[in-house]
Amino acid sequence: MDRGTGDPGAEAVRRGAFVVLVGGVVFASVAILVAAFLSWVAGSLRPGVGIASLLAGAIAGVLAGARTADPSAPDTAGAPQDDRVADALALVAFAAVSFRQFGWLVFERGGTLLTLLPYNYGDLPLHWTYVTHLAEGAPFWPENPILAGERLRYPLGVDLLTAVFVQLGAGLPALLPILGLAGAALAVLGLRRWGGALAVSGFLFSGGLSGLQVLWTGRLQDYQAAVDWKNLFLALFVPQRGYLVALPAGLVLLWSWRRRLLRGEPALAPWVEGVLWGALPLVHLHSFLFVSILGAAWALGGGRARAALPTLAWAVAPAVWGAWQVTDGLRAASLVGWKPGWTIGAHNPLAFLLLNFGLFLPLALAALALALRERRKEELLVLGPALAVFATLFLVRLAPWEWDNTKVMLWCYVVALVPIGSLVLARVAVPFRATLVLGLLFSGAVSVTGASLGRGPRLEVLDVAEHAAVCRALAGLRTARVAVAPTFNHPVALCGRPIVAGYAGHLWSYGLDASAVEKGLGRLMRGEAGWREEARALGASHVFWGPRERQAFPFSTRPWADAGPPLAQGAWGALYALR
């Protein structure tokens, strides 16, 4: 039953937030779907494709937001005053941290673009590369711009949407923080809609017990970075840009399904649910898998499978197409493997779980026990599948780097917060509840505060003058692959041009076997016998020679320099055509 607040102003704010949330996630999802499909049909991302995708997204977003009535009561309606205070504090904290992290996602100091957060240091240049590569009109479905001979197997949705704006004239250094803040705004609305203040603060301040070190060190820093279960906001939401759409879209979808499939209550229109579900593979494959598992469990366990069919009808075609494209015909499934113990290794299992997850697992197990004892069907269908998936991730790995399992563990954690709140925290006295919440969130709060102070190392993304000069040198040239020293932020890649091989850590983490390409690149860059044949085999049309190359290949004979003058040169190095 809906409960009014009795305050027309609060009611208008609630409805406005609902319109923004639903309209925003539908806009992004439709724009990404249309941009990907039309780019695939046209052969590349083009301005006309970008304009059409934004128009389609805007129309769908307005329809979804304006014509979909909010069927639920406000999260804090009828709540005690202390709950409303907690709600306000959670929203303010989320806003402040988001502004700090995304506002300083990339910023200039002394002719260098920097980033605040260490987690961004490797991921940000990779996203920059993908965006500029797509905006430069890469053939679609694109090849991998950082490895010769490989198709791009990556959910590129958010980077593609970013590339649309870049191709239409937006500057990437300004656009990245703007889109980050927009995604954070949608995420906090989605978290609040899903689970109120506990979901908002629980996600923002996720962690274990490592932050307790502040009590004897006196230093505020990200202590969770030293363990495997890191703060989710810092380690996943900020650097891995797919979550900017996947988190709010997935939460809206689960919120609507909870009403439709578990409660039999009015929910979002099936076409809205179908659009959000169908676009998820292009945005974030891990989120798509988890949401699909939970939706299937709810439809079957709630006895309302028929009610899910209209949504499935809308979602199946885009979801199958998107999943097929980003996995290269399901080739990515080969990355899944048996890995008992996750990252526990030689650690004591109980000590590992307690240090990493703190009170989360004890509270989740307590909630599960209460749900079983009291036969609380909704809580069982929410908590049971989430904990089952969480446990399974301690037995299998989803990628060569087993830490990537946290991309799904994030969802298990966020979903479990709701029954933890309703079955455990809501039943204890206020002082004890405050103690449990403090224990759950303290370490994450310390980590987020420490990471937001800006006391870490100087993290240089690119040199502005070097980047501009290299991009000018490449402008107007037709390049296939450029042979460069394999590094995570090479200016050629940041200008959007495909390189023979990029940073080995990125290639390995995506399950790409780059050994043959890297060996061939080494022989080419050292100028060894047969270097021309290596260049042809790698598809290399040019060689870039600059300070990184001199350091990586100090004994190179540089035979390509004897074939003619460079096409361009400067303080940044020289660019040679392979003839």
Side-chain angles (χ1 to χ4, degrees), residues 20 30 62 81 84 104 144 176 207 225 239 277 279 350 355 373 422 446 481 484 496 553 567:
V20 169
V30 170
V62 169
Q81 183 64 35
R84 279 178 276 175
W104 279 261
N144 195 317
L176 289 172
W277 193 11
L350 290 178
L355 177 63
R373 188 181 71 184
S422 62
V446 170
R481 294 272 175 178
V484 303
F553 309 103
L567 298 177

Side-chain angles (χ1 to χ4, degrees), residues 114 127 430:
L114 310 173
H127 288 292
V430 172

